[in-house]
Amino acid sequence: MNMLNLSKRISDKLSKELQLDRESNEVIAYGAFAFIQIIISILVVSIIGYFLNILVEVLIISFSVSILRKFSGGVHATSPNRCLLIGTFFCVIQGLVSKKLSLLMNIDMLLILCILSFTFTYCIVYKLAPVDSKNKSIKNLNKRASLKIKSINVITLYLVLFICGTYYRNSLPLSYSISLLSGTLWQVFTLTSIGKLLLINIDSFLNRLWRSIYEKV
């Protein structure tokens, strides 16, 4: 049973028990689907991160991307499975890179990277966020302004956490701060036309690959 069918069954059962209308049923189905997808994503990322010794790094990246994405939006894969696969792949790669960079960078290099990265992040979010999708267009100007402000607030929180993590570098690994920076940059990158094009092409490639495998089977 896939995530869509499972979330539909949960919503149907709850709607029947609570005697809810169709619109409420759809809201519950969407919420159940999002919750199931988040849980599965966290489990998959955690298992891979544990065996690669980057558990904390991948969790920081995963949560930083997810929280910012909630307000800033971004391009989506055309299926939950491909979304999970793409998200997990890039999260693990970023975790490995963050771990490696923490061994190579000194504090001066990290601060320069911080200034450049957050300057880029603020500019892109101010200009582009929120990026909606065809299936969930945001036409209300007040809502768009609210989501933009919330996105900027989240980035500001990340900046404060980054500074704190770097300040307490004797107690916390620098890879944690770099992971937070990496997750923020990745999510902001997906708002750009280049980021959207990259993810669309990856999604299309995986779709063709799956179809060719399915046809052979």
Side-chain angles (χ1 to χ4, degrees):
M1 183 185 298
N2 60 39
M3 289 183 283
L4 286 172
N5 290 337
L6 179 57
S7 60
K8 184 68 168 58
R9 288 190 62 178
I10 292 173
S11 66
D12 288 343
K13 184 174 180 60
L14 287 175
S15 296
K16 184 178 180 180
E17 292 290 335
L18 300 175
Q19 297 182 342
L20 301 177
D21 56 24
R22 181 178 178 182
E23 184 176 349
S24 299
N25 184 305
E26 292 176 352
V27 171
I28 293 174
Y30 178 80
F33 172 76
F35 179 76
I36 294 169
Q37 188 175 33
I38 289 172
I39 294 299
I40 293 176
S41 298
I42 292 174
L43 285 175
V44 172
V45 167
S46 297
I47 292 171
I48 297 176
Y50 174 79
F51 284 106
L52 295 178
N53 196 30
I54 52 170
L55 175 59
V56 178
E57 285 80 3
V58 294
L59 287 177
I60 290 174
I61 292 168
S62 180
F63 280 107
S64 62
V65 170
S66 299
I67 295 171
L68 181 55
R69 185 180 182 84
K70 177 177 176 61
F71 304 112
S72 65
V75 65
H76 292 267
T78 54
S79 82
N81 291 334
R82 286 194 291 278
C83 180
L84 176 62
L85 182 60
I86 295 171
T88 300
F89 174 77
F90 281 103
C91 187
V92 171
I93 293 298
Q94 287 175 277
L96 292 170
V97 172
S98 297
K99 192 89 167 184
K100 184 67 175 180
L101 286 178
S102 68
L103 303 176
L104 300 176
M105 299 183 70
N106 57 41
I107 189 62
D108 292 332
M109 295 170 61
L110 188 58
L111 290 177
I112 292 174
L113 180 62
C114 169
I115 294 172
L116 294 175
S117 299
F118 276 100
T119 299
F120 168 78
T121 297
Y122 276 114
C123 290
I124 294 298
V125 167
Y126 179 80
K127 181 178 180 181
L128 300 178
V131 175
D132 51 11
S133 62
K134 294 181 179 179
N135 297 329
K136 195 176 180 182
S137 179
I138 306 173
K139 298 180 179 180
N140 188 293
L141 295 180
N142 290 330
K143 185 175 182 180
R144 293 189 66 86
S146 176
L147 289 172
K148 185 186 295 290
I149 292 173
K150 289 178 180 178
S151 299
I152 293 173
N153 289 339
V154 170
I155 294 172
T156 302
L157 174 62
Y158 288 173
L159 176 58
V160 172
L161 292 174
F162 178 89
I163 293 172
C164 291
T166 305
Y167 181 79
Y168 291 104
R169 60 187 178 278
N170 293 328
S171 303
L172 297 172
L174 278 179
S175 60
Y176 294 178
S177 295
I178 297 175
S179 296
L180 179 61
L181 186 62
S182 177
T184 306
L185 281 173
W186 172 251
Q187 171 54 24
V188 172
F189 175 68
T190 65
L191 304 180
T192 65
S193 57
I194 297 176
K196 287 188 283 187
L197 181 62
L198 173 64
L199 290 178
I200 288 172
N201 285 332
I202 293 175
D203 178 70
S204 178
F205 169 76
L206 291 175
N207 187 30
R208 293 196 304 271
L209 180 63
W210 170 250
R211 284 184 177 181
S212 64
I213 295 174
Y214 181 77
E215 288 173 359
K216 290 179 180 179
V217 173

